[in-house]
Amino acid sequence: MTLTLLAMPGNEAQANALAARLGCAVMLPQMRRFPDGETYLRLEGPVTQNAAIVCTLDRPDAKFLPLVFAADTLRDLGARRVGLVAPYLSYMRQDTRFQAGEAVTSKSFAHRVSDSFDWMVTVDPHLHRYRSASEIYSIPVSVLHAGPLLAQWIAAHVNAPVLIGPDSESVQWVSAVAANLNAPFTVLEKVRKGDREVEVRIKDSQILETGRQAVIVDDILSSGRTMLEAVKLAKRAGAPSPICLAIHAVFAEGAEQPLTAQGARIVTADTIAHPTNAIAVAGLLADAIRASVAA
Amino acid sequence: MTLTLLAMPGNEAQANALAARLGCAVMLPQMRRFPDGETYLRLEGPVTQNAAIVCTLDRPDAKFLPLVFAADTLRDLGARRVGLVAPYLSYMRQDTRFQAGEAVTSKSFAHRVSDSFDWMVTVDPHLHRYRSASEIYSIPVSVLHAGPLLAQWIAAHVNAPVLIGPDSESVQWVSAVAANLNAPFTVLEKVRKGDREVEVRIKDSQILETGRQAVIVDDILSSGRTMLEAVKLAKRAGAPSPICLAIHAVFAEGAEQPLTAQGARIVTADTIAHPTNAIAVAGLLADAIRASVAA
């Protein structure tokens, strides 16, 4: 298709996979930092009326200005519509004012993104209190679901799985994936103690004593604390080497090591480039990009 | 005055100096990073109808989202008008497309700032091709000039100065400060070789052989390369220990050491907090804030 597909730094592999499916080329920006910390950005080559920027949005603060500079420049160079392909979408968690005076960053961020793009495509944003992304984004947003891809991966790689959701928020995930596989599942109870400390409990621990391969499934692997507690609990309950399966490999500094030290195998989708990526989302994204451009 | 004055991290000293002059309190945000790199921000205490955020904008990329989150939160909490006090204003240098496809970051940045604030106060932005900040900012901008403060500092600390402008762009500065002091001055010719390499030449080197104290004056001290070449040239021409006087202490990593190694003394205004700060701009800013709030 006729589309200018710009890959921001770190998104080259995903953009190449998309370009192969969409039949277009990938444009790479020239980017560098001036000595004073400002970003220099230059785009080379012709720009078509339809354009999209591939930029996954983990660690979003430093990425935001370069991203909107790129969007503005595509328009200056002839793009009529510019879409954002953000396989991981940030700032979806602070969706209300839990304490007086808190910034509701999800709304502020959505407002700025909506101001700079015509459409967006993303995979499983962390919708908690929001029922849909369009509650806060004023542009059309295609929300894609990687659950079936996770189920496919399990079906292809695990003989007799038992699925574990690490907290009540994961019920939607785990139950859907388990139904898809016709496999048993359980959901742990999580008690959060601050940003970085959590505790988990299980009600039906006998489900882990059946000799099945435990697969802990979550949407985001960030600090890894919840996943780590779930791994320890699964091991105590008799599931020796659980698989940790997640969509978004956010991985805060040092989050991976304690999991592998427990003998867990980590498998993630490639919404954020990471060595644990084993599930490609390009097929999902490509279909949604095609539809968004045609809309 | 009745004003909520919020100091973003690193701007506490400037905000305290302003608060003392304006007769208001300083609000400090609670800020931290989540493990996934997102910013958490919370404001405590009552917010008045008029609010202003003090946030100097060197190294702007990582500062931008927290800044707009703070502006949005002030409005949520009751502010009707929110101003930005940015003693140093970034993204003023890429003011045109020097090569095809370059991002005109000054316009993109101005658009985003104008979208989030009602007014702005800044000190000597690097206006080059723009005649005024209002060419790109759609909100009222008070542009303040630190030149008279620089002249006052020289008058108080240097007996018989000779002023040096490191390049043709500094003519406006140096000539004004020199006239104010009734002191001789010269302006060097700069040949820029990329972002980080420069060469300077002098036409009237005899002006530096008069035994006067050489004071090199510039608006921004960033990579320090221009200033360093000017220092070396001044020393070769017979001015042993020049003073480097600048408004904005941007100071890229490692920029200071080569200057002090040449025996130069560095003096800056406090638009960006730095150990070389010796000239306070709070008086200038306070008057402009008062006028902006009243407008």
Side-chain angles (χ1 to χ4, degrees), chain A residues 180-217:
Chain A
N180 204 309
L181 292 164
N182 202 20
F185 77 96
T186 184
V187 167
L188 309 181
E189 270 182 89
K190 176 158 89 172
V191 187
R192 186 170 277 282
K193 303 172 169 176
D195 288 357
R196 290 164 202 264
E197 259 193 89
V198 288
E199 195 185 296
V200 293
R201 291 177 205 137
I202 188 165
K203 279 180 179 169
D204 46 356
S205 64
Q206 69 287 351
I207 199 173
L208 301 178
E209 295 159 11
T210 53
R212 286 176 164 260
Q213 169 68 54
V215 182
I216 311 169
V217 184

Side-chain angles (χ1 to χ4, degrees), chain B residues 16-36:
Chain B
N16 286 334
L18 291 172
R21 287 171 181 269
L22 295 168
C24 64
V26 172
M27 180 184 272
L28 299 174
Q30 268 190 48
M31 261 181 74
R32 62 177 194 274
R33 283 272 155 103
F34 285 114
D36 59 0

Side-chain angles (χ1 to χ4, degrees), chain A residues 244-263:
Chain A
C244 298
L245 189 57
I247 301 171
H248 303 297
V250 171
F251 281 113
E253 185 71 27
E256 202 179 342
Q257 196 277 331
L259 291 170
T260 50
Q262 288 287 333

Side-chain angles (χ1 to χ4, degrees), chain B residues 17-200:
Chain B
L18 291 172
R21 287 171 181 269
L22 295 168
C24 64
V26 172
M27 180 184 272
L28 299 174
Q30 268 190 48
M31 261 181 74
R32 62 177 194 274
R33 283 272 155 103
F34 285 114
D36 59 0
E38 295 183 9
T39 293
Y40 171 90
L41 184 140
R42 185 183 176 202
L43 307 183
E44 282 175 293
V47 171
T48 54
Q49 291 204 354
N50 277 298
I53 303 179
V54 186
C55 185
T56 203
L57 287 169
D58 60 304
R59 287 120 188 127
D61 289 13
K63 290 180 182 177
F64 184 76
L65 284 180
L67 178 62
V68 300
F69 295 156
D72 288 3
T73 307
L74 284 170
R75 288 183 210 280
D76 285 354
L77 300 178
R80 293 269 187 88
R81 293 177 78 230
V82 181
L84 172 60
V85 180
Y88 176 72
L89 181 59
S90 52
Y91 283 117
M92 292 300 289
R93 301 211 222 183
Q94 183 87 36
D95 50 10
T96 188
R97 200 158 270 141
F98 302 101
Q99 295 188 65
E102 283 183 342
V104 184
T105 53
S106 57
K107 282 188 190 169
S108 292
F109 188 72
H111 164 56
R112 269 62 181 198
V113 170
S114 298
D115 184 41
S116 293
F117 290 92
D118 296 289
W119 51 265
M120 182 167 72
V121 169
T122 189
V123 179
D124 291 300
H126 193 76
L127 295 169
H128 182 41
R129 278 164 201 81
Y130 298 123
R131 273 163 310 162
S132 85
S134 60
E135 275 185 54
I136 47 171
Y137 281 82
S138 59
I139 52 173
V141 179
S142 296
V143 170
L144 307 172
H145 297 288
L149 299 176
L150 269 54
Q152 274 173 36
W153 186 91
I154 297 172
H157 296 86
V158 183
N159 232 336
V162 53
L163 270 57
I164 304 173
D167 58 28
S168 59
E169 284 186 34
S170 64
V171 173
Q172 40 170 347
W173 298 101
V174 181
S175 58
V177 173
N180 205 309
L181 293 163
N182 202 18
F185 77 96
T186 183
V187 167
L188 308 181
E189 269 181 274
K190 176 159 91 172
V191 187
R192 185 170 275 284
K193 303 172 169 176
D195 289 356
R196 290 163 203 267
E197 258 193 272
V198 289
E199 195 185 296
V200 291

